[in-house]
Every structure is written in C-alpha cells, then in structure tokens.
Amino acid sequence: GAVVSQHPSRVICKSGTSVKIECRSLDFQATTMFWYRQFPKKSLMLMATSNEGSKATYEQGVEKDKFLINHASLTLSTLTVTSAHPEDSSFYICSARGATGGSEGYGYTFGSGTRLTVV
Amino acid sequence: SQQGEEDPQALSIQEGENATMNCSYKTSINNLQWYRQNSGRGLVHLILIRSNEREKHSGRLRVTLDTSKKSSSLLITASRAADTASYFCATAPRTIYNQGGKLIFGQGTELSVKP
C-alpha cells in the first residue's frame, strides 16, 4: 500500500532556531499534502493544505511566516518551523493524497508524525 | 471550530466487552472515516463510510452513519487489550472550499481495554 515517510520522528531544538520536517510519498505521487498539529491528548488540528507547485493554503489562525510549507515535488513536502519557541512544541503529522488517492482508495496516507520539543 | 464532537472522551472497558464511540459533525460530507492512533504514533485508517451508506462492517468494527443527525458511531466488538488507543472520526466536508479534500478530525475517544 501507499506509504508516507516522515522525518525526523523526534527533534529537540533550542528556542530561536528553525526546524524542518520532511514528508515523502514513497510509492505514489502526492498531489496534495496536509499538515496537522496535535497537542497531547487532543485532536489533530489542520494547519495547512499544499498542492504541488503552488503556495500552501493556511487555516485561520495559523501563521504562514512561522510555519513555512514547501511542496516543490510530487513526492516531497516540507514544514519548517521558523524561530521556534517552547509553545511550538507539539506533534506534527503530514497526510498525503494522490491523484488516485492514497492507501486502499480512501485517499489519505499519514506519516508517522514528528515530536518537536523546543527548549 | 473546525472540530467535530466525539463522545465519550474516554472509555474504559474490560476485555471481551464491546466499545461504542460516537461522533458528530457540522457540515455536509462526502464521507466519514475512522482512524486509530496509538500513543505518540501516526494514524491508522480503520474504515470509511460514504455519505450514501448507513452501515458498514469490517472484521470486529461496525460503523453507522446518520446524515440527518450528522452523526456516526464506531462499535468495536469483543474488545482486546491491543485495541487500547485513541480513536478519531474524520470528515471530508462537501463544500466548494474543500475541493482538495481536507479532513477535519473529531476530538477523539481514548479507549482503554483492561485485560
């Protein structure tokens, strides 16, 4: 089935630095990538939707200059948390959708998530 | 809020018992999906039910959908300790603003199955 590889799985960074999270679709072309954020014991909040080759569409309240999304190819999307602060600490998950859907026809394949801790 | 509601927020049962989780949503949808998440891990797709379907089965899972009430339920029968996880419903709103098919997740139910 379709696989999305998300790296790193865990990252600890100092306040003020930037962190890049990658999601790669391994066996399908991800025409659309969704980025979610999840706080402990909470649901997934959609941050932005990106289509290959175009600018990402951010959800209300999400700072686009803070969370830079690049979807330059059909197999790679990146989320960069710029000038990270402790309040950016969270679990970030990507989800990819291809022209013919993701896994098993239901359309969405999720990465395994990245635990970001900003100290 | 972009979130739907799920209840209960937490459910603790004994192995062998059935677990029922409910989800409500706000907009017209194309489909509704249920996902499972083990602590600190990614999401695993469980089942999808389309807006024109009322019930679907997959192994020990049974999902119902009532579009008139904008609600769905997930039933796990004969639960096992390995079913312990968080369960989320997710909807793909049917709007002109969602041509890309973004999923909106419910609040989730934390299920604990005790051996």
Side-chain angles (χ1 to χ4, degrees), chain A residues 32 34 36 38 41-46 49 51 59 91 93 95 97 104-106 108 110-113 115, chain B residues 2-3 31 33 35 37 40-43 45 48 50 88 92 99-108 110:
Chain A
T32 306
F34 306 93
Y36 292 86
Q38 185 180 31
K41 296 189 180 298
K42 296 292 185 183
S43 186
L44 282 76
M45 295 289 295
L46 180 65
T49 302
N51 293 294
E59 296 296 305
F91 192 61
I93 306 177
S95 172
R97 195 173 194 212
E104 301 166 4
Y106 56 83
Y108 306 88
F110 285 81
S112 54
R115 171 77 58 199
Chain B
Q2 67 169 249
Q3 300 296 318
N31 61 67
Q33 305 180 32
Y35 288 84
Q37 183 183 37
R41 308 293 293 271
L43 294 170
H45 179 264
L48 176 150
R50 302 187 192 284
F88 296 93
Q99 298 304 307
K102 64 184 179 185
L103 288 181
I104 305 300
F105 283 83
Q107 302 284 7
E110 200 170 326

Side-chain angles (χ1 to χ4, degrees), chain B residues 5-114:
Chain B
E5 299 292 325
E6 280 186 66
D7 72 271
Q9 291 189 343
L11 179 62
S12 182
I13 59 175
Q14 294 293 131
E15 237 178 355
E17 294 181 340
N18 296 340
T20 299
M21 291 160 267
N22 302 297
C23 164
S24 61
Y25 56 91
K26 298 180 179 179
T27 67
S28 295
I29 60 171
N30 292 313
N31 61 67
L32 185 145
Q33 305 180 32
W34 284 89
Y35 288 84
R36 166 195 169 124
Q37 183 183 37
N38 285 60
S39 181
R41 308 293 293 271
L43 294 170
V44 175
H45 179 264
L46 295 177
I47 194 166
L48 176 150
I49 185 165
R50 302 187 192 284
S51 59
N52 61 352
E53 297 177 308
R54 292 296 167 259
E55 189 171 310
K56 202 160 182 181
H57 297 253
S58 177
R60 294 186 295 115
L61 305 180
R62 173 178 168 249
V63 169
T64 62
L65 179 64
D66 187 334
T67 52
S68 67
K69 295 181 180 177
K70 291 186 167 61
S71 68
S72 174
S73 68
L74 171 67
L75 168 68
I76 303 175
T77 61
S79 64
R80 306 166 182 167
D83 294 329
T84 295
S86 292
Y87 292 82
F88 296 93
C89 67
T91 55
R94 186 191 300 159
T95 73
I96 60 172
Y97 302 108
N98 193 27
Q99 298 304 307
K102 64 184 179 185
L103 288 181
I104 305 300
F105 283 83
Q107 302 284 7
T109 295
E110 200 170 326
L111 174 66
S112 174
V113 181
K114 300 185 187 310

Side-chain angles (χ1 to χ4, degrees), chain A:
Chain A
V3 175
V4 171
S5 175
Q6 183 171 349
H7 292 281
S9 58
R10 290 178 179 272
V11 58
I12 300 172
C13 71
K14 291 186 177 179
S15 194
T17 61
S18 295
V19 174
K20 181 183 284 188
I21 302 169
E22 289 189 353
C23 275
R24 292 180 183 272
S25 56
L26 298 186
D27 47 6
F28 69 101
Q29 294 183 328
T31 52
T32 306
M33 191 73 79
F34 306 93
W35 286 93
Y36 292 86
R37 180 175 182 174
Q38 185 180 31
F39 291 104
K41 296 189 180 298
K42 296 292 185 183
S43 186
L44 282 76
M45 295 289 295
L46 180 65
M47 299 173 67
T49 302
S50 73
N51 293 294
E52 183 267 337
S54 59
K55 289 185 178 180
T57 301
Y58 290 80
E59 296 296 305
Q60 193 172 8
V62 178
E63 299 176 62
K64 57 184 67 177
D65 294 330
K66 173 77 168 174
F67 299 100
L68 300 179
I69 291 171
N70 184 287
H71 192 170
S73 80
L74 285 170
T75 59
L76 175 64
S77 178
T78 61
L79 167 67
T80 301
V81 182
T82 62
S83 187
H85 291 282
E87 57 265 30
D88 299 324
S89 298
S90 194
F91 192 61
Y92 294 88
I93 306 177
C94 63
S95 172
R97 195 173 194 212
T100 55
S103 287
E104 301 166 4
Y106 56 83
Y108 306 88
T109 305
F110 285 81
S112 54
T114 297
R115 171 77 58 199
L116 170 63
T117 304
V118 185
V119 297

